[in-house]
């Protein structure tokens, strides 16, 4: 799964710690999600979408391998 | 009304710090019991119960990535610990060099212990190695997600 968290965060001038505070998760968790090393659950993905005021599909997308398999 | 902070991150930090304090107190009591030969069983049991309650509370305060880390680390770490215990037992089924080196060392270590001490030491070995395995796998989980 790919995501645009880093870009969206940079646009708002938020640090990983700022986003972690808004999501009520640890900074390490934000980093793991941002670098694609952990795919968030649906509730957390919805929470992220709500915080950025964007639809989920504008933040997360399937990676090339997953898309190719479809 | 809850006495805990409303932020999950602050709750997590508070419970973790409390666990460190209680854990340190348990360790200090254990050392004091051994070195000064004072009865520490009841205070230790009380602290163990508080520690266990905090462990439940701590798990509730973890976010989903940390929970995943706990699941992965307990599964693979515990398995690793059990495999090591079984390997040690297997080592004792072989005779001659080089296996006798390990057997001789362990016999020297526990040789003069009474049966109950040997039994309790054996019982403790499994959870201790499982916890060691847990910390190894937990560390690997977070290192891979840095």
């Amino acid at each position: 799964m790919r995501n645009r968290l880093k870009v969206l965060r940079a646009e708002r001038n938020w640090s990983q710690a700022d986003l972690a505070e808004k999501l009520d998760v640890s900074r390490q968790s934000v980093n793991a999600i941002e670098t694609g090393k952990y795919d968030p659950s649906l509730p957390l993905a919805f929470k992220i979408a709500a915080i950025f005021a964007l639809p989920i599909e504008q933040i997360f997308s399937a990676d090339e391998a997953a898309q190719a398999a479809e | 009304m809850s006495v805990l902070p409303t932020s999950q991150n602050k709750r997590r930090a508070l419970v973790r710090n409390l666990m460190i304090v209680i854990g340190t107190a348990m360790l200090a009591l254990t050392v004091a019991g051994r070195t000064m030969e004072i009865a520490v069983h009841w205070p230790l049991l009380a602290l163990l119960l508080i520690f266990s309650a905090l462990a439940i509370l701590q798990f509730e305060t973890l976010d989903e990535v940390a929970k995943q880390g706990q699941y992965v680390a307990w599964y693979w770490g515990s398995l690793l610990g059990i495999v090591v215990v079984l390997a040690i037992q297997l080592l004792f089924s072989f005779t001659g060099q080089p296996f006798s080196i390990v057997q001789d060392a362990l016999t020297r270590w526990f040789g003069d212990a009474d049966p109950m001490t040997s039994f309790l030491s054996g019982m403790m070995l499994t959870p201790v190695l499982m916890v060691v395995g847990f910390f190894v796998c937990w560390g690997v989980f977070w290192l891979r997600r840095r």
Side-chain angles (χ1 to χ4, degrees):
Chain A
M1 184 101 81
R2 286 180 304 169
N3 69 75
R4 295 177 55 231
L5 274 188
K6 195 171 183 178
V7 175
L8 294 169
R9 199 167 50 72
E11 283 171 3
R12 287 156 181 80
N13 237 350
W14 292 346
S15 65
Q16 284 188 344
D18 294 333
L19 182 57
E21 194 62 36
K22 291 176 199 301
L23 290 170
D24 229 0
V25 300
S26 68
R27 191 202 58 77
Q28 289 85 352
S29 296
V30 168
N31 186 58
I33 296 167
E34 197 171 284
T35 52
K37 289 169 181 166
Y38 178 83
D39 292 334
S41 65
L42 265 179
L44 184 56
F46 272 107
K47 203 170 175 182
I48 292 168
I51 281 168
F52 287 113
L54 288 168
I56 286 182
E57 61 269 26
Q58 281 192 24
I59 304 173
F60 298 98
S61 58
D63 53 28
E64 285 88 4
Q67 279 174 335
E70 283 172 5
Chain B
M1 194 181 77
S2 173
V3 290
L4 291 170
T6 49
S7 157
Q8 186 90 329
N9 284 337
K10 285 178 182 157
R11 272 205 300 271
R12 185 166 39 246
L14 174 70
V15 175
R16 186 193 53 220
N17 292 341
L18 277 172
M19 286 180 79
I20 291 170
V21 170
I22 303 280
T24 309
M26 284 168 68
L27 194 65
L29 267 180
T30 307
V31 173
R34 297 264 171 169
T35 53
M36 291 185 271
E37 290 188 4
I38 50 173
V40 293
H41 304 89
W42 288 111
L44 256 180
L45 186 64
L47 286 178
L48 183 65
L49 288 174
I50 297 169
F51 192 86
S52 304
L54 285 172
I56 295 167
L57 205 58
Q58 192 246 3
F59 193 77
E60 292 303 312
T61 62
L62 292 178
D63 61 45
E64 62 179 60
V65 187
K67 274 186 181 163
Q68 181 71 13
Q70 292 276 328
Y71 296 142
V72 169
W74 275 118
Y75 181 81
W76 290 110
S78 301
L79 201 62
L80 186 68
I82 291 167
V83 166
V84 172
V85 169
L86 291 176
I88 291 170
Q89 290 189 349
L90 199 65
L91 274 178
F92 270 88
S93 67
F94 295 111
T95 52
Q97 293 281 1
F99 306 105
S100 58
I101 297 169
V102 180
Q103 292 167 8
D104 291 346
L106 286 172
T107 309
R108 270 199 305 277
W109 198 5
F110 292 107
D112 56 351
D114 60 276
M116 185 51 82
T117 305
S118 300
F119 178 72
L120 291 175
S121 302
M123 273 186 72
M124 278 307 291
L125 185 66
T126 307
V128 164
L129 287 175
M130 284 167 77
V131 169
V132 169
F134 164 80
F135 278 112
V136 169
C137 293
W138 186 77
V140 169
F141 178 89
W142 281 113
L143 279 175
R144 289 179 66 187
R145 281 160 186 79
R146 273 195 310 170

